[in-house]
């Protein structure tokens, strides 16, 4: 019996090789080559021929008609804003996240609460009765939502062509397989082939497709990296699945801005939108406590106010510990070195723990000023006023550098009810900008910050 021919794929970039290699010659990643059977001729032809638009003839760009409605709302303000104003017809969206974080719940809520939307929900992980029980807990109207439990992609596309839905939802892409590929579901070849078939269906019929995908232990979408290149939009859930709040972040969006976030609260009735996340991330205590400072930052295009918590204590075991939750520990070590070198604070023999409240992962340099203020507050055991917030980047020479769109952070802090905000002394605010109701304090370096806070 002849042996089936196989090929090696790179999980990181999707490159092919006839033999195993420790390092991928294309992307340079180590130990990412996996073996999969060579797809049949039909599968190979389908994947290579995934041209958006199918068999259309070439036409001039000036003759393309885009006057028709290209987007439609999902009756979810947060999700519509995250997608750039609604979902685009003929687009393909990938929704990723850890198990149990709410991917299937959010996907099922879309057709239940979007009245008049004819949707086909394909479940490869649950039976029709299980989906019905979930829909009963979520509420909403299921008169226009079709449920189909199937894992063969050819059958799914056949039913989709017959029903002609306005939205196709597949839960999940790792459970779907094609007869053209001789491998088990979830392998590199199957994911590539099935994603290419869904892409072709979306582009040729103008039907948006929502794919649900699992993530690996390192937090990336399971399957080949080429899956993220095929789709138009990549949305990923963040946060602890055991907590009440979920953060949906836009990683890739061909039709809108990236790095946008939407905050949801997991309840017994499903995921509820949080219109003002700053109310969840600012202090929830009445008395002033040391080691706490509020940072005004920008996540995507949305201004947020988040509580920064620091704890500084003597090293109990000789070697000081450095730990950060929701913040880059390397950047925290840099800020501690700036405090010691430029301001004279001896923190080399002390433990420093940093936490961003609400489970949010922060990468905006505008949080530097709040981190330093929280560390100094905990070190001196002197509280910072709960009506004060901070917005500024700290440089290696101890200077406070301005950040972009500072006026938006000032307006957000004033709206929430803060009385004072510290910003960089080098920030130039627009002349027409009015910051009545909040005191704007400009500081130039870290020593000046210490004098202004603990005078």
């Amino acid at each position: 019996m002849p042996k089936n021919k196989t090929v090696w794929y790179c999980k990181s970039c999707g490159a092919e090789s006839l033999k195993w290699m420790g390092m991928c010659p294309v992307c340079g990643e180590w130990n990412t080559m996996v073996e999969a059977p060579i797809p049949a001729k039909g599968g190979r032809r389908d994947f290579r021929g995934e041209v958006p638009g199918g068999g259309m003839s070439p036409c001039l760009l000036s003759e393309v008609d885009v006057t028709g409605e290209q987007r439609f709302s999902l009756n979810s303000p947060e999700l519509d804003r995250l997608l750039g104003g609604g979902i685009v017809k003929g687009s393909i969206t990938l929704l990723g996240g850890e198990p149990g974080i709410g991917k299937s719940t959010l996907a099922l809520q879309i057709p239940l609460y979007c009245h008049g939307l004819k949707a086909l929900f394909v479940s490869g992980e649950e039976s029709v009765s299980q989906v019905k029980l979930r829909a009963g807990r979520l509420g909403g109207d299921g008169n226009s939502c079709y449920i189909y439990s199937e894992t063969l992609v050819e059958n799914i596309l056949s039913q989709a062509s017959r029903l002609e839905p306005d939205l196709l939802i597949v839960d999940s892409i790792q459970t779907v397989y094609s007869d053209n590929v001789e491998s088990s579901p979830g392998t590199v070849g199957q994911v590539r082939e099935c994603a290419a078939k869904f892409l072709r269906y979306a582009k040729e019929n103008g039907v948006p497709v929502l794919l649900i995908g699992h993530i690996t232990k390192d937090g990336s979408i399971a399957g080949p990296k080429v899956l993220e290149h095929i789709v138009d939009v990549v949305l990923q859930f963040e946060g602890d699945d055991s907590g009440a709040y979920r953060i949906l972040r836009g990683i890739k969006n061909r039709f809108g801005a990236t790095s946008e976030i939407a905050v949801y609260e997991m309840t017994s009735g499903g995921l509820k939108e949080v219109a003002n996340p700053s109310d969840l991330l600012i202090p929830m205590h009445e008395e002033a406590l040391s080691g706490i400072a509020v940072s005004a930052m920008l996540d995507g295009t949305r201004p947020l106010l988040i509580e920064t918590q620091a704890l500084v204590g003597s090293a109990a075991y000789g070697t000081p510990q450095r730990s950060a939750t929701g913040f880059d520990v390397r950047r925290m070590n840099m800020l501690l070195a700036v405090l010691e070198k430029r301001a004279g604070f001896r923190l080399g023999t002390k433990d420093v723990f940093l936490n961003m409240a609400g489970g949010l992962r922060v990468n905006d340099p505008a949080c530097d000023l709040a981190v330093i203020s929280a560390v100094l507050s905990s070190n001196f055991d002197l509280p910072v006023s709960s009506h004060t917030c901070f917005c500024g980047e700290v440089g290696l020479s101890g200077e406070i550098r301005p950040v972009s769109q500072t006026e938006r952070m000032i307006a957000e802090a004033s709206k929430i009810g803060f009385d004072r905000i510290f910003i960089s002394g080098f920030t130039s605010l627009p002349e027409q900008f009015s910051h009545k109701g909040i005191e704007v304090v400009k500081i130039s370096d870290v020593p000046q910050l210490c004098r202004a806070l603990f005078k």
Side-chain angles (χ1 to χ4, degrees):
M1 183 175 181
K3 182 180 179 181
N4 293 332
K5 295 183 179 181
T6 60
V7 67
W8 293 85
Y9 293 98
C10 175
K11 295 188 296 183
S12 179
C13 65
E16 300 179 9
S17 175
L18 296 178
K19 62 179 181 179
W20 179 87
M21 289 181 288
M23 184 185 72
C24 175
V26 177
C27 64
E29 295 291 334
W30 287 88
N31 299 324
T32 57
M33 305 297 290
V34 294
E35 188 178 16
I38 295 179
K41 293 182 179 180
R44 176 69 64 180
R45 184 174 58 254
D46 289 344
F47 180 76
R48 296 301 183 187
E50 54 170 36
V51 181
M56 295 175 56
S57 59
C59 60
L60 290 174
L61 182 62
S62 58
E63 298 177 354
V64 178
D65 183 18
V66 293
T67 57
E69 182 62 36
Q70 299 298 318
R71 294 179 183 265
F72 62 88
S73 174
L74 296 177
N75 198 25
S76 174
E78 288 294 298
L79 188 57
D80 287 343
R81 181 185 55 81
L82 193 63
L83 293 171
I87 192 167
V88 178
K89 294 183 178 180
S91 64
I92 181 168
T93 303
L94 178 63
L95 176 62
E98 297 179 354
I101 203 169
K103 304 183 298 297
S104 301
T105 300
L106 179 62
L108 187 56
Q109 283 184 191
I110 294 175
L112 291 179
Y113 287 92
C114 191
H115 304 292
L117 178 67
K118 184 179 180 181
L120 174 59
F121 187 93
V122 180
S123 177
E125 300 178 349
E126 297 177 314
S127 63
V128 174
S129 59
Q130 289 175 317
V131 177
K132 173 62 177 180
L133 292 175
R134 183 195 295 267
R137 296 193 301 266
L138 299 178
D141 184 13
N143 293 328
S144 59
C145 179
Y146 291 86
I147 305 298
Y148 186 42
S149 180
E150 181 59 70
T151 56
L152 183 61
V153 65
E154 285 79 12
N155 291 345
I156 296 174
L157 296 179
S158 175
Q159 293 295 331
S161 301
R162 183 181 64 85
L163 290 175
E164 297 182 353
D166 299 325
L167 176 65
L168 174 62
I169 303 173
V170 181
D171 183 16
S172 64
I173 185 62
Q174 278 82 17
T175 61
V176 179
Y177 72 97
S178 173
D179 283 337
N180 295 330
V181 181
E182 297 179 357
S183 60
S184 59
T187 58
V188 174
Q190 288 287 3
V191 171
R192 286 164 57 113
E193 175 71 12
C194 295
K197 286 181 177 293
F198 284 122
L199 175 67
R200 191 178 188 90
Y201 168 79
K203 301 303 180 183
E204 291 182 348
N205 298 275
V207 177
V209 177
L210 176 61
L211 304 178
I212 297 178
H214 303 297
I215 65 173
T216 57
K217 293 181 179 179
D218 58 357
S220 60
I221 301 293
K225 198 68 175 178
V226 71
L227 177 61
E228 299 183 30
H229 298 299
I230 291 177
V231 300
D232 299 314
V233 182
V234 179
L235 306 178
Q236 186 164 339
F237 270 110
E238 296 179 357
D240 187 5
D241 57 355
S242 61
Y245 299 104
R246 310 285 194 269
I247 298 173
L248 185 62
R249 183 181 300 275
I251 300 177
K252 172 187 176 182
N253 192 350
R254 289 174 177 164
F255 314 109
T258 57
S259 298
E260 291 283 353
I261 66 168
V263 182
Y264 293 89
E265 180 182 4
M266 178 61 77
T267 65
S268 58
L271 290 170
K272 304 299 181 182
E273 297 180 355
V274 179
N276 191 5
S278 296
D279 293 338
L280 307 175
L281 305 175
I282 58 178
M284 298 182 180
H285 44 79
E286 298 179 356
E287 69 278 3
L289 301 175
S290 63
I292 293 178
V294 178
S295 171
M297 55 169 287
L298 202 67
D299 202 322
T301 59
R302 163 174 283 187
L304 291 178
L305 274 76
I306 180 173
E307 177 181 307
T308 304
Q309 303 172 345
L311 180 62
V312 180
S314 300
Y317 303 103
T319 303
Q321 300 183 56
R322 300 285 189 265
S323 176
T325 303
F327 193 79
D328 188 1
V329 67
R330 295 172 297 180
R331 189 165 187 86
M332 183 190 71
N333 290 331
M334 184 200 75
L335 297 176
L336 296 178
V338 171
L339 284 177
E340 185 164 350
K341 180 69 175 181
R342 305 301 179 185
F345 296 103
R346 304 302 177 187
L347 301 173
T349 59
K350 295 185 177 181
D351 296 333
V352 180
F353 302 94
L354 187 67
N355 177 53
M356 294 294 175
L360 188 67
R361 285 196 287 268
V362 172
N363 53 12
D364 191 349
C367 299
D368 291 351
L369 201 57
V371 170
I372 284 185
S373 302
V375 170
L376 293 177
S377 174
S378 179
N379 185 52
F380 295 143
D381 200 17
L382 295 175
V384 177
S385 173
S386 58
H387 298 284
T388 301
C389 61
F390 304 86
C391 177
E393 179 184 357
V394 178
L396 290 179
S397 60
E399 82 280 7
I400 308 301
R401 304 176 63 87
V403 295
S404 62
Q405 305 187 43
T406 305
E407 61 274 9
R408 295 191 59 189
M409 269 82 87
I410 296 176
E412 180 72 10
S414 177
K415 183 180 69 174
I416 296 298
F418 284 86
D419 300 332
R420 185 171 60 163
I421 182 172
F422 284 82
I423 65 174
S424 170
F426 306 100
T427 303
S428 57
L429 298 175
E431 296 181 359
Q432 67 274 13
F433 177 72
S434 175
H435 49 82
K436 294 182 179 180
I438 186 171
E439 178 187 0
V440 178
V441 182
K442 293 186 176 182
I443 53 176
S444 302
D445 51 27
V446 174
Q448 186 180 356
L449 171 67
C450 300
R451 292 190 297 267
L453 283 179
F454 310 108
K455 56 184 178 181

